[in-house]
Amino acid sequence: MRGADEEPSAAVAGAPAEGRLRRLGRWIREHYCTIDVRTLGLFRLVLGALLMGDCLRHWAEASWIYSNEGVLTNHYHLFHPSSGFNFSLYHAFSSLGEVHVAFALSLFCFFCFFIGWHTRLFSILSFILVTSRDNRIVMIENGGYVVVNLITCWAMFMPTGRRFSVDALIRSYRERQERTAADLADRRRPAWAEQPYVSGIVLLAILNLATIYYFNVVNKSGQIWRRGETVHYVLHLDRMVTGLAVVAREYLPLWTKKGLTWGVLVLEALLVPWILSPYGRRVTRALAMGGMWGLHGSFGVMMRLGPFSWFMIAWSFLLPTAQHWEALERWYRRRAAPRVVVYDGGSPLAFALMRFLVRLDALELLRFEEARAAAAGADGEAGGPRPELLVVRDPADGRLFQGAGALREIVQALPGGRFARPVVWALTLGAPGALLGLASRRRDEIARFFGLGRRARARAVEGPPSPLSAKLAHGRVVAREALVAYLGLCAVSQAINENKSVPAVLKHKQPTFVQATIVYPRLLQGWGMFAPNPITEDGSLAVDAITIDGRHVDPFTGEPPDLDLSDARGLGLGQIKQDYFNRIRLDRNKAFRRPGLQEFLLRYPERTGRPEDEIVAFDVYWVRDQCPRPGEDAPFKNEAIPILSYRKPGYRARSGMPALPPVKKEESAGN
């Protein structure tokens, strides 16, 4: 009886707790796990464009960094991998021609993701390709590469193709089969294009973004940051800076550089609560986006950091909420004017164009009217001249626009059309009116060519899913959320282990499968740019090679070797080259100097096509100096450290030529 008496009281006590947990879960879901599908569509466009740009950047360096003609052959890397868990599709491509094919296929995948065609498939392929490119030569990896891997990974789990995509356009055509002007006036949107997306991946992506800034602040604990001298030192890293930074360091006073240093810390610290704030998100998220654009835009134009700055800006495009979209819609409506599009009701081509415009007209500023009456003769009988393919009318004053003017009015009424006008004019080769006139004259031939002679048949209405289909769909959601939760736990574990500011008591040994999950796709979580202190030592690689005719040349530049860094005003090195130079000098990468770097240097005459460029000896130096002290402008303590030396076996100098210098003793230039 006692147990029976206790059971109801336990249930009563547990009910409020259960209710609180449900309310908490609902609150978290509403504030952190929900995202507008328009935001996802815009995010995909920005991310896809950057993936294409980054692919082209790497493609330009393919000959010396990714092919077997470069500094690291695929077969050598397969047997001497850069990390314990290393996989790359690029290992299957050897010659330069094959590598060009690999990059062309990669660019195609990124483009398909950008336009949103088979979005889910190409988002997965994009993730595999960016991580494969990273794994092909880990020596050039920096924090920006990790950001690319992470953001592309999280994008795989998001329905980024529901808006602003080819997939959404095709799905809309399949589900809505307009056949009359009245059908065009029906602007109801399907649920998949309107309902926000709810998933744990949204929470994970937002938390990961905030985590980057949190550790970038707390890890910067050094005295140089506290004294406000970081910007001074960073602007004097000639291997990294752009020409704009060179000008800035010469004209900005020290007090300005100190203010900028402390300003960076303050802004990064403020970004964390702005990103995570559950309230006032219309303001805080806007502040976060503006802060990220200003911060990383400045980094991007001042330093050659590779993809870091631009992909962090891309990450910010996950922050807009429905409130921002509504505010943007109100702003645009105040500046756009409604228009009436009068089209040839007897032309299948004209009707197809109207169906296309309906799908672009998200703000519903366009109305559509048929122009059948205009096709009648003056006596009221059929047989009069055919109307224009399309004409635009201003409903306020009745003005008519034809040709290029009609296209201009239509484009300006569409969302973002004011900014897309130059693109439209470029696509029409600057002659939109002439192209529209040609289409109007050949409307019947064009319609027959595209099979527009008959109106599309209405699609059969699909009934509710079967119980089995519903269970399978639910199972996919559960599996997706479970995988997201697992990746989230892996990310937390990696952040704890990889960031120095985390107490040692929290560090732990990861299971092998967790390590594989993180390292194979390079989903690392160590954040601390220029932490705990910035770099105060500048350095780059220089090669003093001797050709068979006695000249001294640096095969990387084709110019005489420069072993003095102290007079540099920026080296003009791209991120790939500067990071390779900085990493190959480390003792842990000795295995990649010989044969990799050595064979690349010896192939110099193959690249120039000049037999007299044959190299008979070379010395590779890590040339370094100390950045100027705060308040000064001149670097000091320049030195050249030999890290690789070669002399051609059995070589004898020609008559009248000096003998080769003795082999340099290779020294350590860092661990």
Side-chain angles (χ1 to χ4, degrees):
M1 292 298 295
R2 185 178 179 182
D5 291 338
E6 290 178 351
E7 188 172 338
S9 62
V12 171
E18 183 180 356
R20 285 194 297 270
L21 288 176
R22 287 183 177 179
R23 287 194 298 272
L24 176 61
R26 185 163 54 249
W27 184 87
I28 293 175
R29 185 168 61 251
E30 291 174 354
H31 289 82
Y32 292 109
C33 297
T34 303
I35 192 168
D36 195 291
V37 290
R38 291 168 293 185
T39 298
L40 292 177
L42 179 61
F43 167 70
R44 188 203 72 252
L45 290 171
V46 176
L47 177 59
L50 288 177
L51 287 174
M52 289 190 293
D54 201 41
C55 180
L56 292 173
R57 182 177 73 92
H58 285 84
W59 197 349
E61 309 281 353
S63 60
W64 75 275
I65 201 74
Y66 290 106
S67 76
N68 282 0
E69 300 170 18
V71 295
L72 182 61
T73 62
N74 56 4
H75 51 272
Y76 186 86
H77 196 226
L78 284 170
F79 288 98
H80 297 81
S82 304
S83 61
F85 302 93
N86 187 273
F87 170 79
S88 174
L89 293 178
Y90 281 81
H91 282 143
F93 300 89
S94 304
S95 68
L96 181 58
E98 292 174 354
V99 171
H100 284 325
V101 171
F103 274 99
L105 292 175
S106 299
L107 186 62
F108 173 76
C109 288
F110 299 146
F111 175 74
C112 291
F113 175 67
F114 168 72
I115 65 174
W117 181 60
H118 294 291
T119 312
R120 182 72 71 183
L121 170 64
F122 284 108
S123 67
I124 295 172
L125 291 177
S126 295
F127 172 66
I128 295 173
L129 288 168
V130 296
T131 55
S132 289
R133 192 176 64 208
D134 189 353
N135 274 298
R136 174 60 177 85
I137 180 162
V138 180
M139 267 192 294
I140 64 172
E141 177 189 76
N142 62 18
Y145 287 64
V146 177
V147 167
V148 176
N149 297 339
L150 287 168
I151 194 174
T152 312
C153 179
W154 306 152
M156 285 194 305
F157 297 93
M158 301 176 181
T160 56
R162 287 191 184 177
R163 295 296 294 269
F164 317 138
S165 68
V166 174
D167 284 345
L169 187 65
I170 293 174
R171 186 172 180 180
S172 175
Y173 272 116
R174 288 174 178 172
E175 295 181 357
R176 292 185 57 191
Q177 299 286 342
E178 299 93 339
R179 288 179 286 181
T180 65
D183 293 337
L184 295 175
D186 183 4
R187 299 303 186 89
R188 289 174 298 179
R189 293 192 182 95
W192 54 265
E194 290 292 309
Q195 291 180 348
Y197 180 64
V198 181
S199 171
I201 191 61
V202 181
L203 173 64
L204 178 55
I206 298 301
L207 283 178
N208 200 170
L209 179 60
T211 299
I212 293 174
Y213 292 110
Y214 171 78
F215 282 116
N216 264 321
V217 173
V218 299
N219 286 338
K220 292 171 180 173
S221 57
Q223 290 298 318
I224 295 178
W225 276 101
R226 295 181 181 180
R227 293 195 300 262
E229 299 167 351
T230 296
V231 168
H232 165 81
Y233 282 110
V234 168
L235 290 178
H236 281 87
L237 294 174
D238 284 298
R239 75 170 185 264
M240 291 186 180
V241 296
T242 65
L244 183 60
V246 172
V247 174
R249 77 189 188 193
E250 294 175 352
Y251 289 96
L252 288 178
L254 183 60
W255 64 267
T256 303
K257 297 174 185 176
K258 287 188 175 184
L260 290 173
T261 299
W262 293 323
V264 167
L265 281 175
V266 171
L267 180 54
E268 287 184 329
L270 287 173
L271 284 172
V272 178
W274 285 346
I275 291 169
L276 295 179
S277 174
Y279 304 112
R281 291 190 297 175
R282 180 177 176 180
V283 175
T284 58
R285 290 280 179 97
L287 288 172
M289 291 188 71
M292 291 174 67
W293 294 356
L295 180 70
H296 296 293
S298 301
F299 290 163
V301 299
M302 290 288 188
M303 306 185 69
R304 305 176 192 274
L305 298 175
F308 179 75
S309 296
W310 313 116
F311 279 84
M312 287 301 294
I313 290 175
W315 209 325
S316 75
F317 280 87
L318 285 176
L319 297 179
T321 65
Q323 291 177 312
H324 296 109
W325 286 103
E326 292 164 2
L328 182 62
E329 180 178 327
R330 290 192 297 270
W331 176 85
Y332 198 83
R333 281 184 180 277
R334 289 195 297 267
R335 288 158 178 78
R339 291 292 184 261
V340 178
V341 183
V342 184
Y343 64 95
D344 179 7
S347 169
L349 175 62
F351 192 79
L353 291 174
M354 297 309 105
R355 293 187 68 203
F356 181 67
L357 288 177
V358 162
R359 285 155 175 80
L360 298 182
D361 183 31
L363 299 181
E364 301 180 16
L365 292 174
L366 297 178
R367 291 194 293 111
F368 302 91
E369 290 182 3
E370 291 188 358
R372 290 186 181 278
D379 56 359
E381 296 182 359
R386 295 187 70 176
E388 292 291 333
L389 188 67
L390 61 88
V391 175
V392 175
R393 185 177 74 244
D394 185 343
D397 55 21
R399 285 183 303 162
L400 294 178
F401 303 89
Q402 298 182 356
L407 284 179
R408 182 190 65 246
E409 296 299 313
I410 290 173
V411 170
Q412 290 189 158
L414 297 176
R418 291 176 176 269
F419 312 105
R421 277 185 59 192
V423 178
V424 174
W425 256 240
L427 292 176
T428 57
L429 304 179
L435 290 177
L436 183 60
L438 177 62
S440 181
R441 293 190 298 272
R442 300 293 184 88
R443 67 190 75 176
D444 294 333
E445 293 93 327
I446 296 174
R448 283 194 296 270
F449 179 81
F450 287 104
L452 302 175
R454 291 185 294 178
R455 298 278 171 82
R457 298 176 182 176
R459 191 181 185 189
V461 179
E462 296 182 0
S466 66
L468 178 59
S469 299
K471 289 182 178 180
L472 289 175
H474 178 70
R476 287 195 297 269
V477 172
V478 171
R480 180 196 68 206
E481 296 304 305
L483 180 56
V484 167
Y486 169 69
L487 291 175
L489 291 174
C490 291
V492 171
S493 171
Q494 188 67 14
I496 291 172
N497 280 352
E498 206 170 344
N499 289 281
K500 296 179 180 179
S501 59
V502 177
V505 68
L506 297 177
K507 308 289 185 180
H508 56 278
K509 181 175 176 57
Q510 295 171 330
T512 303
F513 66 87
V514 172
Q515 296 177 27
T517 301
I518 295 167
V519 180
Y520 267 126
R522 311 298 295 173
L523 301 179
L524 309 176
Q525 292 289 344
W527 308 109
M529 177 181 281
F530 302 126
N533 278 310
I535 305 168
T536 60
E537 177 185 281
D538 198 9
S540 186
L541 210 68
V543 182
D544 183 5
I546 303 174
T547 62
I548 197 169
D549 57 358
R551 289 175 293 113
H552 288 253
V553 65
D554 186 335
F556 279 108
T557 65
E559 303 291 334
D562 185 0
L563 302 183
D564 186 0
L565 195 62
S566 60
D567 59 352
R569 297 183 74 249
L571 299 180
L573 298 176
Q575 174 270 318
I576 294 175
K577 188 165 288 186
Q578 62 165 280
D579 275 328
Y580 174 77
F581 287 177
N582 187 40
R583 307 284 170 68
I584 196 65
R585 56 105 177 182
L586 300 176
D587 292 343
R588 65 174 180 265
N589 288 322
K590 276 186 177 180
F592 301 110
R593 297 178 196 165
R594 188 183 287 114
L597 176 57
Q598 176 174 300
E599 291 184 353
F600 171 76
L601 296 174
L602 294 178
R603 283 193 291 268
Y604 180 62
E606 298 177 16
R607 296 190 292 275
T608 64
R610 292 161 40 94
E612 59 269 29
D613 285 338
E614 179 186 349
I615 292 177
V616 295
F618 67 72
D619 296 304
V620 180
Y621 295 93
W622 175 248
V623 183
R624 67 186 181 188
D625 65 13
Q626 299 299 312
C627 295
R629 298 180 181 91
E632 300 179 1
D633 296 322
F636 60 96
K637 199 178 178 181
N638 184 88
E639 57 182 330
I641 303 172
I643 63 171
L644 182 63
S645 189
Y646 166 84
R647 303 293 181 269
K648 184 177 181 180
Y651 173 76
R652 292 185 179 180
R654 299 175 183 177
S655 176
M657 299 283 292
L660 296 180
V663 175
K664 298 283 186 181
K665 180 182 178 181
E666 297 175 6
E667 302 176 22
S668 172
N671 296 317

